[in-house]
Amino acid sequence: MPDGSTARTRRLHHETGVVYFPIALIARLPFAMVVVGVMTLIVPTTGSLALGGTTAAVVGVGNACFGPFLGVLADRYGQRKVILTFSTVNSVLLFSLVAVTSSDYNQIAMFIIAFLIGASSPQVAPLSRSRLVGIIDSSFPHPSSVRIMNAAMAYESAADEIVFVFGPVIVGLLATTIGAGAPVIGAGIISLVFISAFALHKTAAQTTPAHVAISNQAPARELFRLSVIAPVLGAFGMGLLFGSMLTSLTAFMVQRNEATQVGLVYGIIGLGSAVMALSVAFLPAKYSHQLRWLVFGSLSLVGTLSLLWANSVAQISLSLLIIGLGIGPTLVTQYTLAAQASPAGRSATVMTLVGTAITVGSALASAATGIIAQAGGPSLAFTLPIFSCVVVLAAAIVNGFGSRR
């Protein structure tokens, strides 16, 4: 007789189909590849590091501005039509950026295309979570639905971390073996093939307005409840942590003439986070989401505080491992709480808000930490990850107030 977790996984696979999870995993890759890929394309082609960094930042701005809007459209018209439209447009724009950059490039044209690439990026991760939430709510009775939801959100966070680690690696391999434009072209092809497959998968039909009548959709003001705002604020704090940690680590490694090892060392966060994200499914139910958020958020805070005393790559690596062990369960908890608090008919909107908050936080922290690192060195820059964890824990306190209300 299979154990409880295995049986739950098999039942969820039965509802989604076995090919759903591989498709949804690969469909995440373009989002993880694009920002690094744009840098890899533009810097060697134009010879300008500043132009490459600025163009990559413009991609993030476009995504931050229009990411939640995609969620609203998906809730209103269903995921299938919206994702197919956005993935096709996004692929064309990615190919166009390579063409514009390879010719006598025009900076304004590059910025416009980069902004539109970010704006049209299909939000596969949050939309996948939205699908699973809908399937679990409609197919599994309470209380088993709670356990299955925890397992599903744990898997989703682990999938994000896997893509987060390997996306930049794929960019490096393609750029090295084929050419500077290969990563962006590759992202465009994956978007066209796998994101389209994600859109056409049968699970998309379970998120269409046919299952939640538009007349029963909760009013937009329900999105401003504390129970919704708290996970979004917490995700923003996690984004701040990602951006500040990567930039401050880069400054640390550059100071030691080991800049080429940044990706390898930073990957320790993703590996630790993925392992712990999966372990959340096995935590006893008596440990509330609020307690998990506070405990694992505090673990990441301890890891960031240890950065202040780190003087070697080995010590930094240990700090990153501790930080990652806290990140995975915290993200799972935030997404689970967001799913539970989603107003009727607005699941995709809430999930894209959470995903966009991470993107915005990461972009803001990268810029701020870069300025601070240049002015005061890595030691001063390492205070930014500490601040990020404080924001995460503050959001947990806000969530506590929202839960009591």
Side-chain angles (χ1 to χ4, degrees):
M1 187 77 176
D3 62 42
S5 62
T6 303
R8 290 194 297 271
T9 301
R10 287 179 179 173
R11 288 200 298 270
L12 186 56
H13 280 178
H14 176 74
E15 297 295 329
T16 62
V18 293
V19 300
Y20 172 76
F21 290 99
I23 289 174
L25 177 65
I26 298 173
R28 284 169 163 85
L29 275 173
F31 190 76
M33 294 170 61
V34 163
V35 174
V36 180
V38 167
M39 285 278 290
T40 305
L41 166 67
I42 292 177
V43 172
T45 304
T46 66
S48 174
L49 180 61
L51 181 59
T54 304
T55 309
V58 170
V59 174
V61 171
N63 182 259
C65 291
F66 286 90
F69 180 63
L70 187 149
V72 173
L73 290 176
D75 280 331
R76 179 65 178 83
Y77 299 105
Q79 287 193 18
R80 181 163 292 164
K81 294 178 181 178
V82 174
I83 297 173
L84 278 174
T85 301
F86 274 67
S87 64
T88 302
V89 171
N90 190 250
S91 296
V92 172
L93 289 167
L94 288 168
F95 299 147
S96 299
L97 182 64
V98 176
V100 169
T101 307
S102 300
S103 60
D104 293 332
Y105 66 91
N106 181 295
Q107 290 188 17
I108 296 178
M110 288 170 57
F111 289 155
I112 292 174
I113 294 173
F115 180 85
L116 293 175
I117 286 172
S120 62
S121 293
Q123 307 287 308
V124 173
L127 292 179
S128 176
R129 287 179 170 89
S130 177
R131 287 190 194 187
L132 295 180
V133 168
I135 291 170
I136 292 167
D137 285 345
S138 63
S139 304
F140 300 96
H142 190 83
S144 64
S145 62
V146 176
R147 296 191 297 271
I148 295 171
M149 183 76 76
N150 283 333
M153 293 301 106
Y155 164 78
E156 286 289 311
S157 293
D160 287 344
E161 295 298 339
I162 291 169
V163 170
F164 165 74
V165 170
F166 288 103
V169 174
I170 294 173
V171 169
L173 290 174
L174 289 174
T176 303
T177 58
I178 301 177
V184 176
I185 293 174
I189 294 172
I190 294 173
S191 180
L192 201 57
V193 176
F194 284 93
I195 296 182
S196 295
F198 176 75
L200 295 170
H201 192 270
K202 66 177 185 177
T203 54
Q206 295 182 253
T207 60
T208 58
H211 285 72
V212 179
I214 296 302
S215 59
N216 294 331
Q217 189 179 59
R221 64 176 179 273
E222 293 294 314
L223 295 171
F224 297 95
R225 294 180 305 185
L226 278 180
S227 58
V228 176
I229 292 174
V232 174
L233 177 60
F236 176 73
M238 298 303 286
L240 291 176
L241 178 57
F242 291 143
S244 61
M245 192 65 253
L246 176 59
T247 309
S248 57
L249 174 64
T250 301
F252 179 86
M253 299 297 282
V254 167
Q255 190 179 69
R256 284 158 176 73
N257 295 319
E258 296 178 324
T260 57
Q261 303 298 313
V262 170
L264 181 62
V265 176
Y266 189 58
I268 294 172
I269 279 188
L271 293 175
S273 179
V275 171
M276 286 302 292
L278 289 172
S279 72
V280 171
F282 301 97
L283 290 176
K286 66 180 180 179
Y287 295 110
S288 68
H289 290 99
Q290 179 70 14
L291 179 61
R292 295 176 189 180
W293 191 341
L294 289 170
V295 169
F296 288 105
S298 298
L299 179 60
S300 288
L301 177 61
V302 170
T304 57
L305 287 169
S306 69
L307 292 169
L308 299 177
W309 290 275
N311 294 313
S312 68
V313 174
Q315 291 173 331
I316 287 287
S317 299
L318 178 60
S319 297
L320 292 175
L321 178 61
I322 296 171
I323 294 169
L325 294 177
I327 284 176
T330 304
L331 275 176
V332 172
T333 301
Q334 290 169 350
Y335 271 109
T336 302
L337 289 170
Q340 293 174 350
S342 298
R346 296 192 178 274
S347 175
T349 302
V350 173
M351 290 301 174
T352 50
L353 281 172
V354 175
T356 301
I358 294 175
T359 301
V360 173
S362 180
L364 290 176
S366 295
T369 309
I371 295 172
I372 291 173
Q374 188 165 344
S379 298
L380 186 59
F382 280 142
T383 60
L384 271 295
I386 298 172
F387 170 77
S388 304
C389 289
V390 172
V391 173
V392 172
L393 291 173
I397 295 172
V398 172
N399 182 72
F401 283 115
S403 299
R404 280 194 285 272
R405 290 185 62 181

